Amino acid sequence: MDFIYWRHPTVPGIKVEEITGGEHYRGKVWLDMARQVYCENGRDVYREIGHFRNGAPFLYGETSRISVTHCDGFLAVATLPPTPEVSLDAFSDRAAMGIDAERADRTQVLRIRERFLSDEELAMIPEEDLTLNVQAWTVKEAAYKAAFAEGIDFRSDIRIIWLPRLAPAVPVFDPVEFGMDNIPKELPEKFFGEVRIGKERVPLRVYSYLSDGFIVTLCYSPRCAKFGKAGS
């Protein structure tokens, strides 16, 4: 099928599985095939994705929060460790997490930026910077998924406090590539952003990385369950 499956831990401690390739497939056929690749790559059993009434995904028989994103030629599923202590069909800061991805060169985002960015965010993010605008779009989408609530307005209910610098996809990275002279034990704070969601302005952490020409963003509660750096 010529699909590429990649399973990896991330710096925030969230497992991400990515599927790319399959260029000779298109549209829904590509997505169905990519989902099949994901489902067949469970460690022990075939995995089946279901959806709650609000559209949020879950894995049948599992107590782990998952979040799914897809665009042309790219599918990613983010997973937290099991959280049997909380209900996955409602918001909980132990399982608040969302993922989104978009092509880094998607210029259409520039034409709709006033629809999803507030006046303050429009001033903060230069119109001519395509990368930052695409990243901001993925932040809003990922935060919406993490909020696990209907009726959230992108402009008014999801507030970007600051965007993170695009970071490495995996915990093992070359500090020189990111302008660091010394090898840090952890990435500096500039690689993590923050958003506030809802009327209560619940804080979420933001982590964005570049993968095969796609900007991938994770939004998650600082208190959510996380894997260790080795992943699992």
Side-chain angles (χ1 to χ4, degrees):
M1 291 191 298
D2 299 326
F3 282 92
I4 300 170
Y5 169 85
W6 184 36
R7 178 182 183 277
H8 63 97
T10 61
V11 172
I14 298 169
K15 180 178 69 179
V16 175
E17 294 166 87
E18 299 179 7
I19 295 93
T20 56
E23 287 82 3
H24 50 290
Y25 297 101
R26 291 290 183 272
K28 186 178 183 300
V29 174
W30 187 94
L31 182 58
D32 288 343
M33 297 293 286
R35 282 176 174 162
Q36 184 75 12
V37 172
Y38 166 78
C39 291
E40 291 176 350
N41 277 279
R43 281 193 159 183
D44 301 312
V45 297
Y46 181 87
R47 298 177 291 190
E48 187 175 354
I49 299 176
H51 294 85
F52 295 111
R53 281 186 290 181
N54 67 354
F58 67 87
L59 290 177
Y60 282 101
E62 299 288 340
T63 59
S64 300
R65 168 77 72 214
I66 68 167
S67 184
V68 181
T69 184
H70 65 86
C71 44
D72 289 343
F74 187 88
L75 171 72
V77 181
T79 307
L80 296 179
T83 53
E85 72 276 15
V86 302
S87 175
L88 293 181
D89 63 357
F91 178 85
S92 167
D93 59 7
R94 286 287 295 154
M97 181 271 296
I99 187 173
D100 193 68
E102 187 54 83
R103 291 197 62 90
D105 61 357
R106 189 170 178 81
T107 57
Q108 292 93 324
V109 170
L110 297 179
R111 294 199 290 269
I112 63 170
R113 66 188 230 115
E114 293 185 357
R115 300 181 190 175
F116 67 89
L117 296 176
S118 67
D119 291 341
E120 293 81 3
E121 292 162 346
L122 288 169
M124 178 176 64
I125 300 169
E127 183 176 3
E128 66 276 8
D129 194 320
L130 177 59
T131 297
L132 287 183
N133 280 274
V134 172
Q135 184 183 8
W137 170 256
T138 65
V139 169
K140 294 269 182 163
E141 285 278 4
Y144 176 83
K145 296 174 184 178
F148 217 78
E150 299 178 2
I152 289 182
D153 183 80
F154 274 32
R155 293 192 83 242
S156 59
D157 296 330
I158 303 174
R159 179 186 174 194
I160 298 175
I161 307 303
W162 66 84
L163 289 174
R165 180 176 173 184
L166 284 177
V170 296
V172 179
F173 63 97
D174 182 1
V176 175
E177 180 183 353
F178 295 91
M180 303 176 196
D181 295 329
N182 300 316
I183 300 177
K185 291 182 179 179
E186 297 182 353
L187 278 180
E189 278 297 306
K190 64 184 177 182
F191 288 96
F192 296 89
E194 183 179 337
V195 298
R196 302 290 177 95
I197 57 172
K199 293 180 173 54
E200 295 80 14
R201 296 302 184 194
V202 177
L204 294 177
R205 295 269 274 174
V206 180
Y207 187 77
S208 298
Y209 65 89
L210 193 64
S211 179
D212 199 24
F214 294 85
I215 293 176
V216 184
T217 293
L218 294 161
C219 283
Y220 57 96
S221 166
R223 297 192 68 250
C224 75
K226 301 178 183 68
F227 292 105
K229 283 195 173 182
S232 71

